[in-house]
Amino acid sequence: MSDYKQLSLCMIVCNEERFIGNCLNSVKDVVDEIIIVDTGSTDATKEICKSIGATVLDFEWNDDFAAARNFGLKYAKGDWIFWLDADEEVEKKDAAKLRDVLTETEDSIVGIQLVNYYGSYPIHPDNAYLINHHRLFRNGMGFQFKNRVHEQLNVDEVVGEVDHLKTLSVKVYHYGYLDEINAEKNKHNRNIRLLEKMQEDMSSNPWLDYHLATEYFRVSMYNKAFHHLNEAIHNFLLQQQIPPSPIYRLKYEILVLANSFEGAWPAIDNAIALYPDYVDLHFYKGLIFVGMEKYEEAIEVFQHCLMLGEKNLQHITLKGLGSFQAWYYIGHCYMKLGQMEKAVYALKACIQQSHSHTLAKEALEKLQKSS
């Protein structure tokens, strides 16, 4: 009897002809089968999938992403399931490592390194959020997706709380929230409608307020986003749960954007006490000090960000906050303090790590002209 284990790729798609070829080609050589659930494509999506060897199943769209994903899981024969979005692709040089789950882990669920790009097209490699995200799980254990939108696996129900997600050194790039694509698919309005529908069914779920906050934040409706964040925090506490780290990250990002430095300080230290390893929270503390013109204190915080770095992706992390962005603000603070040699050093360190950092280049050029 063969010990060969199989890996199934499961996806849902609708009108994804722009991306689906790149997505499937990035992983087709390392999976044993591709199960595609199509929820009503009218373009060439299904034909592209079939040409790459996928099994394509039709599913009538019912405003429920989890239901569509779960439909596909029923047809997967692999020992493990890997799931992707159509607007994602696996880093080619990493793809073969996906098969490591078949032979090298006793875990039931395993992550990859997700790189979520934001901003305008073409992609700027420094404009990204980074996080370890569970994308591989054992088949036949009862894993299912839940939630109409922002669907996630029922990890707690199957294996309990996962303190530290085992993660493969496999990068997956996600392009779906670039400005152009977000607008083209009208994702904001769709997601708001589905989240509000979910709230009617399960109003006590604080995650819904967090997801509503992220949707409003994405379209710069900061007051609404802030309201939903506070609702989320309140409801998590009512349920005697510590509010998850992304909620505090977004709360303090909004306060910094609103220049509400007095409102953010010293309260941010309470969030840092909960998540002392979260570089983003420390970075926003540094920005708060910059806004309050406490430059020496800010430098100390940004130096701590450099020490923390960006390798702890158990929290969603904005690329650069433990590297080039921290160096840039150290340089900015030294300029404000009149310590120009130290400012030049910091700005050069920033540019070395982010070659197209416009603000650092402009600041360095200004300093060099005045010296």
Side-chain angles (χ1 to χ4, degrees):
M1 189 173 176
S2 172
D3 289 332
Y4 180 77
K5 290 188 167 68
Q6 293 191 327
L7 177 62
S8 300
L9 172 66
C10 290
M11 297 177 59
I12 61 173
V13 301
C14 184
N15 291 337
E16 295 286 0
E17 65 180 7
R18 177 175 179 179
F19 290 107
I20 192 65
N22 286 341
C23 176
L24 296 183
N25 282 320
S26 74
V27 74
K28 68 177 183 180
D29 294 332
V30 298
V31 299
D32 297 286
E33 66 172 355
I34 300 172
I35 306 293
I36 299 288
V37 175
D38 188 280
T39 62
S41 293
T42 55
D43 63 3
T45 296
K46 293 205 282 187
E47 289 71 25
I48 295 168
C49 292
K50 289 175 183 176
S51 73
I52 297 172
T55 298
V56 179
L57 308 167
D58 290 315
F59 182 85
E60 187 175 344
W61 178 241
N62 61 354
D63 276 352
D64 192 328
F65 284 91
R69 288 200 190 275
N70 291 334
F71 179 74
L73 298 186
K74 293 188 293 185
Y75 293 87
K77 300 183 183 72
D79 300 273
W80 280 78
I81 291 171
F82 176 45
W83 65 277
L84 286 172
D85 287 336
D87 48 22
E88 295 178 333
E89 61 183 303
V90 178
E91 168 60 54
K92 271 290 181 71
K93 66 179 176 60
D94 296 343
K97 299 175 195 168
L98 289 168
R99 298 194 68 84
D100 290 351
V101 298
L102 301 175
T103 55
E104 295 184 16
T105 180
E106 295 179 3
D107 296 80
S108 301
I109 187 160
V110 172
I112 49 79
Q113 299 170 24
L114 187 62
V115 181
N116 271 311
Y117 289 110
Y118 67 89
S120 57
Y121 200 83
I123 292 153
H124 192 297
D126 289 339
N127 291 349
Y129 289 94
L130 314 172
I131 191 167
N132 292 344
H133 201 253
H134 43 58
R135 292 299 187 92
L136 296 121
F137 57 92
R138 289 186 189 273
N139 198 3
M141 289 192 63
F143 285 111
Q144 290 274 289
F145 289 92
K146 57 184 182 179
N147 300 338
R148 287 180 179 272
V149 65
H150 293 297
E151 66 277 19
Q152 56 187 309
L153 287 165
N154 59 341
V155 179
D156 291 354
E157 296 168 25
V158 179
V159 295
E161 190 172 336
V162 179
D163 291 329
H164 193 85
L165 180 67
K166 177 181 173 65
T167 305
L168 301 177
S169 57
V170 175
K171 284 190 173 68
V172 173
Y173 304 112
H174 181 232
Y175 308 110
Y177 281 102
L178 291 167
D179 295 341
E180 173 194 345
I181 297 154
N182 208 21
E184 181 185 301
K185 292 199 170 186
N186 199 13
K187 285 187 177 182
H188 169 72
N189 288 335
R190 179 201 69 190
N191 290 356
I192 292 288
R193 177 175 61 80
L194 294 180
L195 286 164
E196 288 177 345
K197 202 170 183 178
M198 286 171 62
Q199 275 198 321
E200 292 171 12
D201 301 333
M202 44 192 292
S203 57
S204 63
N205 185 343
W207 276 111
L208 296 181
D209 275 300
Y210 168 69
H211 290 310
L212 281 164
T214 63
E215 294 298 335
Y216 285 119
F217 178 81
R218 201 172 277 123
V219 292
S220 303
M221 298 174 69
Y222 299 135
N223 287 338
K224 277 197 166 187
F226 198 74
H227 165 75
H228 283 288
L229 285 172
N230 284 330
E231 284 293 303
I233 291 170
H234 176 71
N235 288 325
F236 271 114
L237 293 174
L238 277 181
Q239 294 179 13
Q240 297 185 314
Q241 296 180 56
I242 296 172
S245 60
I247 292 179
Y248 289 115
R249 184 204 178 285
L250 190 55
K251 175 177 180 175
Y252 288 102
E253 183 173 6
I254 290 171
L255 288 171
V256 167
L257 285 169
N259 293 327
S260 182
F261 306 118
E262 302 296 336
W265 172 256
I268 193 170
D269 272 349
N270 297 327
I272 289 172
L274 294 173
Y275 299 104
D277 60 345
Y278 195 2
V279 67
D280 293 47
L281 288 176
H282 291 276
F283 185 85
Y284 288 123
K285 179 179 176 179
L287 291 185
I288 290 162
F289 281 146
V290 171
M292 297 169 71
E293 299 183 2
K294 295 185 173 184
Y295 299 116
E296 290 178 350
E297 291 92 332
I299 289 169
E300 191 175 328
V301 173
F302 292 129
Q303 286 172 337
H304 186 66
C305 291
L306 292 173
M307 186 193 77
L308 286 172
E310 297 162 20
K311 291 185 179 175
N312 177 13
L313 300 184
Q314 301 300 316
H315 308 289
I316 186 166
T317 297
L318 183 59
K319 186 175 180 181
L321 301 198
S323 55
F324 57 85
Q325 293 287 38
W327 275 119
Y328 168 72
Y329 278 100
I330 289 170
H332 172 80
C333 290
Y334 276 129
M335 285 175 68
K336 292 290 187 179
L337 293 169
Q339 298 182 41
M340 299 312 176
E341 279 188 24
K342 289 182 177 179
V344 167
Y345 179 87
L347 292 170
K348 284 182 175 178
C350 169
I351 294 164
Q352 189 175 14
Q353 294 177 1
S354 175
H355 301 309
S356 56
H357 199 293
T358 307
L359 290 175
K361 286 183 174 180
E362 289 173 354
L364 186 59
E365 189 178 338
K366 184 178 175 184
L367 280 175
Q368 288 171 335
K369 279 182 181 176
S370 62
S371 63

